[in-house]
Amino acid sequence: MYATTGTIKGNTVLADDFSLERYNGRRVIITVLEEEKPFTTLSDDKLFALSNSLISQNMEAYKELAK
């Protein structure tokens, strides 16, 4: 699994990481963050809880990606 950031412009995702070229042709899951909410620093416990919540919400997409 690999994670990076970027922006959406139309139907294109503009990634901030040029090393994505090695993943050409692979399927991806895109999570859109609400930008109206300010970003804050989280403790590891809160970050892991948030991560687990996102994984749970997207479990069907992860199963499809694993096929």
Side-chain angles (χ1 to χ4, degrees), residues 9-50:
K9 186 170 187 172
N11 285 333
T12 303
V13 176
L14 306 172
D16 296 334
D17 190 341
F18 295 107
S19 69
L20 287 177
E21 223 174 87
R22 63 183 165 168
Y23 297 106
N24 270 349
R26 293 195 186 176
R27 297 169 70 187
V28 298
I29 295 174
I30 299 170
T31 302
V32 179
L33 302 174
E34 297 293 332
E35 294 222 11
E36 292 89 35
K37 298 177 185 175
F39 292 98
T40 58
T41 302
L42 298 175
S43 68
D44 285 347
D45 291 338
K46 287 183 181 180
L47 181 61
F48 290 135
L50 177 61

Side-chain angles (χ1 to χ4, degrees), residues 46-64:
K46 287 183 181 180
L47 181 61
F48 290 135
L50 177 61
S51 175
N52 287 339
S53 174
L54 286 171
I55 289 170
S56 294
Q57 290 175 29
N58 293 302
M59 190 55 70
E60 290 305 313
Y62 291 127
K63 288 177 184 176
E64 180 66 26

